[in-house]
């Protein structure tokens, strides 16, 4: 939630999704004031969200689920990702965006402020998760970390150069960060800044990329 103010300063308001409310407890959400479709998330962790689409109503049991989420310190949940430790847990309701029935993600790996690789991800909404790594000329490198590669040809997204420009601006002050973006027919949305993907334990489908990515990072800069 707090990163939104920083993103607004760096690249502008137009890349942020709408937020309909921020809450300390699940029961504080006034569902009568929400649109037909939205996403309920926590701000301090990963995989703590639900989609509410096509006029569905959240199951009451989600109250206990989300209030339990708020008790978790994610810094110690999946590894020692200490950037999560001091985040004040909140629930927020965010705009639901989609590309037909799917939402593609472009996860841009930036080293010393320069985009180097893009992991294209799809299938999170239909349990057919596929990820494929591309270089900044949109050449398919035919590797990923975990899960399936895409079988089909993935077209270069519209405004791809703009996505790289955004990633460059957002990553300029960090030795490494993954800038996560969405792109819906050329409309670019900010997702998040990811400093320790997979808690640093990702295993590439071709182990040679451990060294290749490692060589992209200059700790002296």
């Amino acid at each position: 939630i707090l990163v939104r103010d920083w993103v607004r300063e760096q690249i502008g308001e137009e890349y942020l999704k709408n937020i309909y409310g921020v809450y300390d407890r699940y029961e504080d959400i006034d569902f009568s004031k929400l649109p037909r479709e939205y996403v309920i998330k926590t701000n301090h962790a990963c995989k703590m969200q639900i989609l509410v689409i096509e006029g569905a109503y959240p199951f009451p049991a989600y109250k206990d689920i989300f209030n339990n989420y708020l008790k978790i310190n994610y810094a110690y949940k999946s590894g020692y990702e200490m950037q999560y430790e001091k985040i004040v847990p909140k629930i927020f309701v965010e705009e639901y965006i989609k590309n037909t029935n799917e939402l593609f993600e472009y996860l841009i790996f930036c080293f010393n402020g320069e985009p180097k690789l893009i992991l294209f991800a799809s299938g999170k909404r239909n349990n057919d998760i596929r990820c494929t790594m591309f270089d900044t000329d949109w050449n398919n490198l035919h590797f990923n970390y975990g899960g399936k590669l895409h079988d089909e040809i993935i077209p270069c997204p519209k405004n791809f150069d703009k996505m790289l420009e955004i990633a460059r601006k957002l990553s300029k002050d960090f030795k490494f960060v993954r800038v996560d973006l969405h792109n819906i027919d050329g409309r670019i949305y900010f997702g998040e800044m990811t400093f320790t993907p997979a808690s640093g334990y990702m295993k590439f489908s071709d182990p040679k990329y451990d060294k290749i990515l490692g060589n992209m990072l200059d700790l002296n800069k």
Side-chain angles (χ1 to χ4, degrees):
I1 293 169
L2 294 178
V3 76
R4 290 169 58 86
D5 292 335
W6 179 79
V7 170
R8 192 177 289 110
E9 294 174 0
Q10 301 297 315
I11 60 174
E13 177 83 24
E14 63 268 29
Y15 300 103
L16 294 171
K17 303 169 197 170
N18 291 324
I19 284 186
Y20 303 122
V22 180
Y23 312 94
D24 293 316
R25 304 177 306 162
Y26 186 86
E27 50 266 44
D28 293 337
I29 302 172
D30 185 349
F31 291 99
S32 68
K33 295 182 178 179
L34 297 178
R36 281 177 53 84
E37 298 184 320
Y38 48 88
V39 187
I40 306 176
K41 297 180 177 181
T42 62
N43 68 319
H44 68 297
C46 179
K47 298 180 180 179
M48 297 182 183
Q49 63 184 36
I50 60 167
L51 303 180
V52 180
I53 58 176
E54 299 175 355
Y57 194 84
F59 192 73
Y62 284 124
K63 181 185 80 169
D64 292 335
I65 292 172
F66 270 87
N67 286 338
N68 284 330
Y69 284 161
L70 294 176
K71 300 174 184 177
I72 294 172
N73 191 323
Y74 198 71
Y76 308 101
K77 176 69 174 177
S78 63
Y80 290 101
E81 299 184 76
M82 301 312 294
Q83 66 270 23
Y84 291 99
E85 185 182 27
K86 297 185 185 301
I87 297 175
V88 178
K90 301 280 186 179
I91 296 169
F92 66 102
V93 179
E94 185 180 73
E95 174 185 7
Y96 172 67
I97 60 174
K98 60 183 176 181
N99 181 38
T100 63
N101 290 320
E102 184 52 276
L103 180 64
F104 301 142
E105 290 185 287
Y106 299 86
L107 315 179
I108 305 175
F109 289 67
C110 300
F111 299 82
N112 303 108
E114 187 61 33
K116 296 289 188 180
L117 297 168
I118 303 93
L119 187 70
F120 173 75
S122 66
K124 288 187 177 181
R125 290 182 175 171
N126 57 21
N127 293 320
D128 184 25
I129 298 174
R130 294 177 185 269
C131 301
T132 303
M133 196 75 82
F134 291 81
D135 65 16
T136 53
D137 292 319
W138 204 250
N139 295 309
N140 190 331
L141 301 179
H142 302 287
F143 83 97
N144 64 11
Y145 59 93
K148 305 173 185 176
L149 291 166
H150 290 89
D151 298 323
E152 71 276 20
I153 295 174
I154 305 300
C156 184
K158 295 180 180 180
N159 291 341
F160 180 58
D161 288 343
K162 185 65 177 179
M163 295 173 69
L164 296 181
E165 178 188 333
I166 288 170
R168 195 171 287 115
K169 287 181 178 179
L170 295 179
S171 66
K172 63 182 174 61
D173 294 323
F174 306 103
K175 294 185 184 299
F176 170 81
V177 67
R178 197 187 74 197
V179 179
D180 299 352
L181 302 175
H182 304 293
N183 187 326
I184 308 300
D185 196 28
R187 172 75 188 275
I188 300 168
Y189 296 88
F190 172 78
E192 64 180 42
M193 306 280 281
T194 301
F195 290 93
T196 48
S199 299
Y201 289 101
M202 63 184 71
K203 293 183 178 181
F204 297 115
S205 53
D206 188 333
K208 73 178 183 181
Y209 284 101
D210 280 329
K211 184 172 178 60
I212 290 172
L213 268 74
N215 287 338
M216 292 179 179
L217 179 64
D218 185 351
L219 294 176
N220 293 316
K221 289 185 178 180

